[in-house]
Amino acid sequence: MTAARDYIDTVQDQWRRIDPDISSAPAAIVGRIRRLAQLIQLQSDSVLTGCGISRAEFDILALLTRTGRPMTPSELAADLITSGAGTTKRINKLVDAGLVTRESNPRDGRGAFIRMTLKGQEIILPVLRSVSDFEEQVISFMSAADREELTRLLRNLLVHVEAGKPSTS
């Protein structure tokens, strides 16, 4: 039985035809992770749109829900891996929608804390359930053992990348 081919297999074939000396082996992993992330986010964004919320709004509300505490814009930006300006734009939209408040930081007059409102709390839990249901559908074909193994492998890769270990040499 021949293994199923995917988009990355085609990309690797194309690169091999152009220059056989260029290793496309990393794309077997990195390319698939990137492609999966893009496809899953596009499909997940459709779930969010169906719930009446954008990805940008969801990311901040979910983070505030997970941490269970007010956060500074800098903390939000760092955790979400977004720019300060982009995070401020997201926060402003959420403030305008009444989903979060911006409160002065008593320890730093220039700083602020972002706190979820009751309206934000009421909105986020059903959305989180919808996203969780979608993500379960994405991986539903995998056995429990395969899920555990993939989780272990991806965790190892993420720990390595987060540590800044990939070299550019």
Side-chain angles (χ1 to χ4, degrees), residues 19-30:
D19 187 343
D21 294 332
I22 294 175
S23 173
S24 66
I29 296 171
V30 177

Side-chain angles (χ1 to χ4, degrees), residues 127-169:
V127 175
L128 284 168
R129 285 185 196 98
S130 293
V131 170
S132 179
D133 290 347
F134 161 74
E135 290 173 350
E136 176 59 35
Q137 289 173 7
V138 169
I139 62 171
S140 64
F141 74 98
M142 299 175 74
S143 70
D146 285 349
R147 289 180 188 200
E148 288 176 21
E149 178 67 3
L150 184 57
T151 298
R152 184 186 68 75
L153 293 168
L154 290 172
R155 180 183 297 113
N156 289 344
L157 179 59
L158 183 58
V159 166
H160 180 77
V161 172
E162 284 181 334
K165 293 180 182 171
S167 72
T168 57
S169 56

Side-chain angles (χ1 to χ4, degrees), residues 39-55 58 123-138:
L39 291 170
I40 290 170
Q41 181 152 344
L42 281 172
Q43 293 172 18
S44 177
D45 286 351
S46 293
V47 171
L48 293 174
T49 299
C51 293
I53 191 169
S54 72
R55 167 68 54 191
F58 173 76
I123 286 174
I124 194 63
L125 288 179
V127 175
L128 284 168
R129 285 185 196 98
S130 293
V131 170
S132 179
D133 290 347
F134 161 74
E135 290 173 350
E136 176 59 35
Q137 289 173 7
V138 169

